[in-house]
Amino acid sequence: MMPPGHVRAPAYLRGKTGQIERPLGAFPNPEKLAYGLKAEKQPLYRVRFTMAEIWGQEAETPDDTLDAEIYAHWLEPAE
C-alpha cells in the first residue's frame, strides 16, 4: 500500500515533515506537460529532510539530510 500524498512525490517522503531549504522558481507543471497540455507555472522548492524523519530509529546517521525538489502543489502543510 502506498503512503498518502501526491503520487509524484517520492513514496519514501510522503507523510514526512521537511523544511523548505529554498525556493527554486516557477516551472511548467510536469503533470500537464506529460499529456501535452498547456502547463501553468508552479513554484518548485528544495525541501530538506533528516534521515531520522525519513527512516526513524533505524537511521544510521540520523542527522544527515536529504534534499528533494518538490512542487508546491505536491506539498501539504506541516501540522
Side-chain angles (χ1 to χ4, degrees), residues 19-32:
Q19 291 190 325
I20 302 291
E21 191 271 329
R22 65 182 160 118
L24 299 174
F27 297 88
N29 183 340
E31 297 156 81
K32 293 198 175 174

Side-chain angles (χ1 to χ4, degrees), residues 31-47:
E31 297 156 81
K32 293 198 175 174
L33 287 176
Y35 290 100
L37 301 172
K38 182 178 178 184
E40 71 284 354
K41 289 187 174 185
Q42 296 286 335
L44 182 65
Y45 293 99
R46 179 163 293 158
V47 184

Side-chain angles (χ1 to χ4, degrees), residues 39-60:
E40 71 284 354
K41 289 187 174 185
Q42 296 286 335
L44 182 65
Y45 293 99
R46 179 163 293 158
V47 184
R48 182 162 288 161
F49 300 88
T50 65
M51 292 297 144
E53 174 66 18
I54 298 171
W55 307 115
Q57 300 287 338
E58 299 159 9
E60 247 180 68

